[in-house]
Amino acid sequence: MKKPSHKSALSQSNSIPASANVSSTSAERIKSLRKKKQDHTAILNNLLQGNQTALGKAITLVESNNTQHQQQASAIIEGAIASSGKSIRIGITGVPGVGKSTFIEAFGTYLLGLGKKVAVLAVDPSSSISKGSILGDKTRMENLVKEEMAFIRPSPSGDSLGGVARKTRESIMLCEAAGFDVILIETVGVGQSETTVHSMCDFFLLLKLAGAGDELQGIKRGIMEMADAIVINKADGENMKAANTAKLDFKRALHLYPAKESGWTPQVLLSSALYNEGILEIWDLIVSFEKKTKENGYFKENRKQQSKFWLLQSINEQLKQSFYQNPEIKTALEEQLQAIFDKKTSPFIAAQYLLEKYAKL
Amino acid sequence: MKKPSHKSALSQSNSIPASANVSSTSAERIKSLRKKKQDHTAILNNLLQGNQTALGKAITLVESNNTQHQQQASAIIEGAIASSGKSIRIGITGVPGVGKSTFIEAFGTYLLGLGKKVAVLAVDPSSSISKGSILGDKTRMENLVKEEMAFIRPSPSGDSLGGVARKTRESIMLCEAAGFDVILIETVGVGQSETTVHSMCDFFLLLKLAGAGDELQGIKRGIMEMADAIVINKADGENMKAANTAKLDFKRALHLYPAKESGWTPQVLLSSALYNEGILEIWDLIVSFEKKTKENGYFKENRKQQSKFWLLQSINEQLKQSFYQNPEIKTALEEQLQAIFDKKTSPFIAAQYLLEKYAKL
């Protein structure tokens, strides 16, 4: 820092005194802070009144990696949280080609007809890599996107599923605070993305095609086990016979799983999103799920457990991040790994050494 | 500390001067430390010469939760590590009733006949709860237990799989340093125990019964995917036909999995441990696995990756433990959870708050 002039700040001079300079900067900073505060207060207020532009802005702040934006996002979320939680959160998954977009378009349009406000979000950790991703192209839901009571938001880009998940979960809260009653969370099966969506929704819907032969994959990856309903899509025309057979097969497969904690027995339904068939039955099913689980207390308990899960998950991720991204630890970790490979130490002794080093930093 | 007497330590007196007292205590402490050092140096030296009593003592130190014992254990492991790593580590799993003990008895006895030194360890996180556990009753391997070249050790008791795993993995090193060439690591399928054993062995063997109908379980829990060989046990007498059918079924099921990183194609074999049939073929298979994976570099690379996995695993576990076991954090965590349930904060904001609190402690 430059040494201050010995001249008194009160003395008259042509040059602008330092103190004046400082106070004008402070004033600007305060003004700018006030403006930001006004900004996010305005966003919050408009969002709480159901304004979609404000909702979009708030989600943009949530998705930003900029520290200042994140602070504003936190302030908005804190203000929105008391008004959140009133929707039904429905997770929808299925392999590419199963017709997720067409299904969501048909399902969402049906819900709008019932007077619901519908938000569609997506979890797709691959979107930052592949670019062209689910919901990335809004025109795939061309009717829904035009509706005033529908809000569609593509998957936030992010390099980790954890990051994408956090952003989506906060976006759910914001949509709810903005008055959306049904939140559809779409995911394509990449890595652990179905498990992630399952841990933030109330009802998990698995879209299937008849005779696709991916049953083993579903069992293997534990996806079928998570489903509250399996919907066999494209059950129309020549597909009908195969769809009915698949329905029986899936029903039998579901019987192999133990009873769900929710007390709900997963159902298998048919639909043709293209011809708008079976949509009504799916909504009725979800309504009876909601009724049952609200009565037996599971609905609320599950949301509590999900909140706890996300709290612990965030803590664990950040504990690891602080450790592994520390430059001294990074170097020491490489050295210890080499020592392990050279049979000079064991993984457990090395872990102890690194943790002691970290504690002293 | 008591203020020292003003009398000179050299002055004659009937009462024993404080300083003398102190120095005699120090001397004893030094003597005791020297003794401990001699103790574990003696254990290490005897272990390196293949002494089984020393091996048993060293493993007891590894398994102890006493801090002093753990320090001695670490010193022994550090001294043993350069001599470790020369065995083939074989993981063996299967549901209760599949005949694991009989199989290990037959297989181990065969290996002793080939001049091998065989150690049998177990991973069973339930052993501390259920008491009567696998290998707990050594008499179940009554022939093997009598053999001088065999070493059998029940599962260490421990309340977490992580703890049991660490102890087993260090015991493997000690057995190797004591000259054992084949390490059999048995596990019963409790929770994640198969995955744990898979991450510490070179070859993973899954024992099955014909017509047991637990195929779905194996697929679901990812166990079949880990297997390098599936052995259908009790393939004798009237079971033969069913065993042959099961062999074909499992072969077909294995084809559904993608090729293994090891370049190895998992095989399905029949055995009757009771009649000592099929044992030779299983060993031959393992020998060809070892040859192939040593040639293509997988064997070494896999062990490196396993060491890295255990290093990171230990660090992650201990980072979490330090955080969650901190009394101030414990209280604050409960408060934040309640605030989340009361919709006063979000899981992510609460996580941030707790991590900042932890950093200041």
Side-chain angles (χ1 to χ4, degrees), chain A residues 45-225:
Chain A
N45 289 336
N46 289 330
L47 181 152
L48 291 175
Q49 280 157 33
N51 181 305
Q52 285 210 20
T53 312
L55 176 59
K57 275 187 190 166
I59 295 181
T60 301
L61 290 172
V62 159
E63 290 178 355
S64 167
N65 292 322
N66 172 308
T67 313
Q68 216 167 54
H69 291 169
Q70 284 175 350
Q71 283 164 356
Q72 291 177 275
S74 288
I76 294 173
I77 287 165
E78 278 185 327
I81 205 155
S83 314
S84 73
K86 286 168 210 146
S87 80
I88 173 117
R89 306 166 183 167
I90 304 168
I92 298 175
T93 191
V95 294
V98 77
K100 279 191 296 298
S101 298
T102 317
F103 176 81
I104 290 173
E105 170 108 337
F107 191 55
T109 306
Y110 172 76
L111 294 173
L112 292 177
L114 295 180
K116 304 280 178 195
K117 280 184 77 180
V118 181
V120 186
L121 306 171
V123 169
D124 179 7
S126 69
S127 66
S128 57
I129 306 152
S130 65
K131 305 292 176 192
S133 87
I134 49 166
L135 291 180
D137 185 4
K138 282 197 189 181
T139 55
R140 284 167 58 218
M141 297 177 189
E142 49 184 17
N143 291 321
L144 211 53
V145 82
K146 283 181 240 150
E147 297 286 345
E148 215 181 302
M149 293 294 126
F151 177 80
I152 302 182
R153 186 83 183 190
S155 181
S157 64
D159 31 16
S160 79
L161 181 56
V164 171
R166 175 194 171 136
K167 290 165 183 174
T168 306
R169 207 164 183 281
E170 296 195 325
S171 300
I172 292 174
M173 288 185 189
L174 294 177
C175 289
E176 290 174 341
F180 286 88
D181 351 78
V182 183
I183 320 280
L184 306 178
I185 311 137
E186 177 187 1
T187 192
V188 70
V190 176
Q192 294 287 307
S193 71
E194 289 107 336
T195 311
T196 303
V197 168
H198 181 251
S199 65
M200 56 174 79
C201 69
D202 305 309
F203 187 94
F204 194 68
L205 194 154
L206 174 58
L207 285 178
K208 282 280 184 184
L209 289 181
D214 60 345
E215 289 76 10
L216 185 71
Q217 283 296 325
I219 297 173
K220 235 180 72 187
R221 299 176 50 227
I223 297 159
M224 213 176 283
E225 200 167 0

Side-chain angles (χ1 to χ4, degrees), chain A residues 171-351:
Chain A
S171 300
I172 292 174
M173 288 185 189
L174 294 177
C175 289
E176 290 174 341
F180 286 88
D181 351 78
V182 183
I183 320 280
L184 306 178
I185 311 137
E186 177 187 1
T187 192
V188 70
V190 176
Q192 294 287 307
S193 71
E194 289 107 336
T195 311
T196 303
V197 168
H198 181 251
S199 65
M200 56 174 79
C201 69
D202 305 309
F203 187 94
F204 194 68
L205 194 154
L206 174 58
L207 285 178
K208 282 280 184 184
L209 289 181
D214 60 345
E215 289 76 10
L216 185 71
Q217 283 296 325
I219 297 173
K220 235 180 72 187
R221 299 176 50 227
I223 297 159
M224 213 176 283
E225 200 167 0
M226 297 189 295
D228 295 301
I230 295 177
V231 171
I232 300 161
N233 197 20
K234 302 191 184 175
D236 44 46
E238 290 180 358
N239 276 334
M240 275 311 289
K241 206 185 150 191
N244 275 312
T245 311
K247 186 177 171 176
L248 285 175
D249 286 348
F250 280 117
K251 267 197 169 173
R252 213 171 295 131
L254 285 175
H255 272 299
L256 296 167
Y257 291 104
K260 285 190 171 246
E261 215 190 314
S262 57
W264 174 255
T265 310
Q267 304 290 317
V268 186
L269 296 175
L270 300 182
S271 85
S272 165
L274 197 61
Y275 296 102
N276 240 326
E277 277 165 20
I279 300 297
L280 160 73
E281 289 78 5
I282 295 167
W283 178 244
D284 282 352
L285 194 75
I286 296 174
V287 169
S288 57
F289 170 89
E290 191 179 2
K291 187 168 176 289
K292 181 174 183 135
T293 56
K294 278 188 173 168
E295 277 169 10
N296 70 16
Y298 177 81
F299 192 93
K300 202 177 167 189
E301 185 54 32
N302 182 46
R303 284 211 176 165
K304 272 188 164 185
Q305 291 306 321
Q306 288 181 340
S307 290
K308 188 174 178 179
F309 169 82
W310 286 106
L311 171 66
L312 303 184
Q313 186 78 356
S314 298
I315 291 171
N316 298 345
E317 257 187 40
Q318 287 178 67
L319 282 174
K320 283 195 262 178
Q321 202 171 316
S322 311
F323 183 88
Y324 292 108
Q325 291 190 351
N326 180 295
E328 288 186 54
I329 292 296
K330 267 187 182 171
T331 314
L333 185 76
E334 285 308 315
E335 285 164 6
Q336 288 297 308
L337 259 180
Q338 195 53 51
I340 293 170
F341 296 161
D342 295 344
K343 293 212 261 177
K344 284 175 187 154
T345 187
S346 87
F348 303 102
I349 295 171

Side-chain angles (χ1 to χ4, degrees), chain B residues 142-187:
Chain B
E142 49 184 16
N143 291 321
L144 210 53
V145 82
K146 284 181 238 150
E147 298 286 344
E148 213 181 307
M149 292 296 127
F151 178 80
I152 302 183
R153 185 85 182 188
S155 180
S157 65
D159 31 15
S160 77
L161 180 56
V164 171
R166 174 191 171 141
K167 291 164 183 175
T168 307
R169 206 164 184 278
E170 296 194 324
S171 299
I172 292 174
M173 287 184 189
L174 294 176
C175 289
E176 289 174 342
F180 287 87
D181 354 77
V182 183
I183 320 279
L184 306 178
I185 311 138
E186 178 187 2
T187 192

